[in-house]
Amino acid sequence: MKKTTTLYNILALLAIIAAAQTILLIFIKQDVSTEDKKSDNQIIQVASEKTDIFYPVLHVYDGDTISIDKDSSTERIRLIGIDSPETSEKYREKECFGEEAAKKAVELLSGKKIRIEADPTQADGDIYGRSLRYVFLEDGTFLNQKMIEEGFAKEYTFKESAYKYQKDFLVSQEEAKKAKKGLWNKCNE
C-alpha cells in the first residue's frame, strides 16, 4: 500500500513539474515572439500618453512630421492616422499638394505649443525614430483630424492596425472628398 501511495505521489509531483514547465515555455515563447515582432517592425507598444503638458514646436518637416522641445531635448513626432503628400525627394518622390500641406502645418504650428497623446493600440515609434502621437494645439484644435478635414492629408492606417480615432478620421476624409477640399480637388486621387 505504501509503495502504491508513494508511486501516486511521485506521479503527481511529475505531473505538477510538467505543467509548470509547459506554462513556463508558453511564457518564454510569447516573450520571444514579441521580441521578434519588435525587431522586425522596430516597434514598442506603450500605454496611452495623454497629459496636459504643452511642448513648443521646434520644426515642421511636412504635413505629418514635426519636432518638439520635450524636456530640453528634441523629439520628432509622426502624426498617427494621417499621411500628407511628400515634399522631399529624399525618401520618396514629391507628391501633389505636398508643399501646400507643409505650409498649412507651418501656419497652424509656428510659434505654438502642443499637447501630445500616444495610442496604446499603436507602436510608440516608427523605423525612422519618430514618436507616433496625436497632436492637440492649446486652443483644442486636433491637428491630425484638421489636416484630413481640410484636405491636406489622407487617413492612414498602418498595417491594418485600427487606432483610437480611425472612424472619425475616415468620416472626415469622406467629407473632404465630397467637398473637394485640398488634395481632393487639386490631385488625381
Coordinates of all heavy atoms in Angstrom, one line a residue, residues 37 41 58 68 92-93 96 102 121 124 131 137-138 141 154 175 180:
K37 N 8.7 40.4 -33.1 CA 7.9 41.5 -33.7 C 8.5 42.8 -33.5 O 8.5 43.6 -34.4 CB 6.5 41.5 -33.1 CG 5.6 40.3 -33.6 CD 4.3 40.3 -32.9 CE 3.5 39.0 -33.2 NZ 2.3 38.9 -32.4
N41 N 9.6 45.0 -36.8 CA 8.9 46.2 -37.1 C 9.5 47.4 -36.4 O 9.0 48.5 -36.6 CB 7.4 46.1 -36.7 CG 6.7 45.0 -37.4 OD1 7.0 44.8 -38.6 ND2 5.9 44.2 -36.8
L58 N 9.3 73.0 -32.5 CA 10.6 73.5 -33.0 C 10.7 73.5 -34.5 O 11.3 74.5 -35.1 CB 11.7 72.5 -32.5 CG 11.9 72.4 -31.0 CD1 13.0 71.4 -30.7 CD2 12.3 73.8 -30.4
I68 N 9.5 68.7 -31.5 CA 9.1 69.5 -30.4 C 10.3 69.5 -29.4 O 11.2 68.7 -29.5 CB 7.8 69.0 -29.7 CG1 8.1 67.5 -29.1 CG2 6.6 69.1 -30.6 CD1 6.9 67.0 -28.3
R92 N 11.1 59.6 -50.9 CA 10.1 59.3 -52.0 C 10.0 60.4 -52.9 O 10.4 61.6 -52.6 CB 8.8 58.9 -51.4 CG 8.8 57.7 -50.5 CD 7.4 57.2 -50.2 NE 6.3 58.2 -50.1 CZ 5.2 58.1 -49.4 NH1 5.1 57.0 -48.7 NH2 4.3 59.0 -49.4
E93 N 9.4 60.2 -54.0 CA 9.1 61.2 -55.0 C 8.2 62.3 -54.4 O 7.2 62.0 -53.7 CB 8.4 60.6 -56.2 CG 8.3 61.5 -57.4 CD 7.7 60.7 -58.6 OE1 8.3 59.6 -58.9 OE2 6.7 61.2 -59.1
C96 N 1.8 65.5 -55.3 CA 0.8 66.6 -55.5 C 0.3 67.1 -54.1 O -0.1 66.3 -53.3 CB -0.3 66.1 -56.4 SG -1.6 67.3 -56.6
A102 N 2.5 71.1 -46.2 CA 3.6 71.5 -45.3 C 3.3 73.0 -44.9 O 3.5 73.3 -43.7 CB 4.9 71.4 -46.0
T121 N -2.9 51.3 -28.9 CA -3.1 50.3 -30.0 C -2.1 50.4 -31.1 O -2.0 49.6 -32.0 CB -4.5 50.5 -30.6 OG1 -4.5 51.8 -31.4 CG2 -5.6 50.5 -29.6
D124 N 5.0 52.8 -30.3 CA 5.4 54.1 -29.7 C 6.2 54.9 -30.7 O 6.1 56.1 -30.7 CB 6.3 53.8 -28.5 CG 6.8 55.0 -27.8 OD1 5.9 55.9 -27.5 OD2 8.0 55.2 -27.5
S131 N 8.5 59.5 -32.7 CA 7.4 59.1 -31.8 C 6.1 59.2 -32.6 O 5.8 60.2 -33.3 CB 7.4 60.0 -30.6 OG 8.6 59.8 -29.9
L137 N -3.4 71.4 -30.3 CA -3.0 72.7 -30.0 C -3.6 73.2 -28.7 O -4.6 72.7 -28.2 CB -3.3 73.7 -31.2 CG -2.5 73.6 -32.4 CD1 -2.6 72.3 -33.1 CD2 -2.7 74.7 -33.3
E138 N -3.0 74.3 -28.2 CA -3.5 74.9 -26.9 C -5.0 75.3 -27.0 O -5.7 75.2 -26.0 CB -2.7 76.0 -26.5 CG -1.3 75.6 -26.0 CD -0.5 76.8 -25.5 OE1 -0.1 77.6 -26.4 OE2 -0.2 76.8 -24.3
T141 N -7.6 72.5 -30.9 CA -7.6 72.0 -32.3 C -6.8 70.7 -32.3 O -5.7 70.6 -31.8 CB -6.9 73.0 -33.3 OG1 -7.6 74.2 -33.3 CG2 -6.8 72.4 -34.7
K154 N -4.4 62.5 -46.0 CA -5.4 61.3 -46.1 C -5.3 60.6 -44.8 O -4.3 60.6 -44.1 CB -4.9 60.4 -47.3 CG -4.9 61.0 -48.6 CD -4.4 60.0 -49.6 CE -4.2 60.5 -51.0 NZ -3.6 59.6 -51.9
E175 N -15.9 63.4 -46.0 CA -16.4 64.8 -46.1 C -15.5 65.7 -46.9 O -16.0 66.5 -47.7 CB -16.7 65.4 -44.7 CG -17.8 64.7 -44.0 CD -18.0 65.1 -42.5 OE1 -17.1 65.9 -42.0 OE2 -18.9 64.6 -41.9
K180 N -14.5 68.3 -52.1 CA -13.3 68.5 -53.0 C -12.4 69.5 -52.3 O -11.9 70.5 -53.0 CB -13.8 69.0 -54.3 CG -14.6 67.9 -55.1 CD -14.8 68.4 -56.5 CE -15.7 67.4 -57.3 NZ -15.2 66.1 -57.5

